[in-house]
Amino acid sequence: MRISPEIQIMSTIKEGAVFYFIEDSFKSKQPHYFVVLNPKPLIDPKLLLAVAVTLDIKAIERIERLPFPIETYVTVTKDECAFLKWPSLFNCNSVFERDLSILINKLENNSLKMLGYVDSGVLLRLRMAVLKSPVVTRNIKKIIQLGITPPLL
């Protein structure tokens, strides 16, 4: 019996879920790791996703040119996340808002992998970095804030 992509996504999506896919808006046609940041992604109107890039010299050079505080970047090692092949960096100044239907469609087309979940420590670091970003909107920060226990005032 085949389980529909919609049921697969709906049954696995929660805070900290990790998906691996090609983001259509990126110049790069390589897949990236995306982590769900919303505390309640099935209730919120959009998924809030943080994206990781592999730490190589080109990525480091690009990041050094960006005008954002260093606290808005989170490095994650393969020891912290088993799905990573190399140390990776999350730029928490870019939070992607996506409809759940996009993930369902990608899974239906075999262009998305569900990889499990980041641990609570990594998720907290990502959320804290988003809250420190000068460019992430207040509405996104409000949603992210709900996932931090105890809430920051």
Side-chain angles (χ1 to χ4, degrees):
M1 179 174 151
R2 185 176 176 275
I3 299 171
S4 75
E6 182 175 8
I7 291 173
Q8 289 180 56
I9 293 290
M10 300 298 271
S11 65
T12 58
I13 194 126
K14 67 177 190 173
E15 60 183 344
V18 180
F19 297 95
Y20 188 65
F21 61 91
I22 295 171
E23 168 53 41
D24 298 331
S25 67
F26 290 178
K27 288 180 186 175
S28 166
K29 294 306 170 197
Q30 296 298 314
H32 289 77
Y33 298 102
F34 291 84
V35 176
V36 175
L37 298 175
N38 322 42
K40 296 180 181 174
L42 290 174
I43 296 171
D44 294 330
K46 299 273 187 183
L47 290 175
L48 302 178
L49 303 170
V51 63
V53 295
T54 301
L55 278 177
D56 63 15
I57 192 66
K58 287 181 184 176
I60 292 168
E61 287 172 354
R62 280 193 311 270
I63 290 159
E64 287 176 341
R65 288 192 300 264
L66 294 174
F68 304 119
I70 195 72
E71 304 84 35
T72 60
Y73 299 96
V74 176
T75 303
V76 180
T77 67
K78 57 186 181 178
D79 293 334
E80 294 174 294
C81 292
F83 58 84
L84 292 174
K85 295 176 182 161
W86 299 278
S88 295
L89 183 86
F90 288 86
N91 174 354
C92 294
N93 296 290
S94 291
V95 175
F96 293 84
E97 295 181 79
R98 297 292 182 264
D99 287 320
L100 198 55
S101 63
I102 290 174
L103 296 186
I104 294 167
N105 290 337
K106 287 185 177 294
L107 184 60
E108 205 165 60
N109 297 324
N110 294 317
S111 59
L112 175 138
K113 293 180 185 175
M114 296 178 287
L115 299 177
Y117 305 91
V118 296
D119 71 36
S120 59
V122 170
L123 184 58
L124 179 62
R125 287 175 27 219
L126 293 171
R127 287 175 170 164
M128 295 300 291
V130 168
L131 294 177
K132 292 175 183 173
S133 172
V135 294
V136 172
T137 68
R138 187 181 320 229
N139 288 338
I140 288 176
K141 287 181 179 183
K142 281 182 184 178
I143 295 169
I144 298 296
Q145 178 73 44
L146 295 173
I148 298 174
T149 307
L152 300 174
L153 300 177

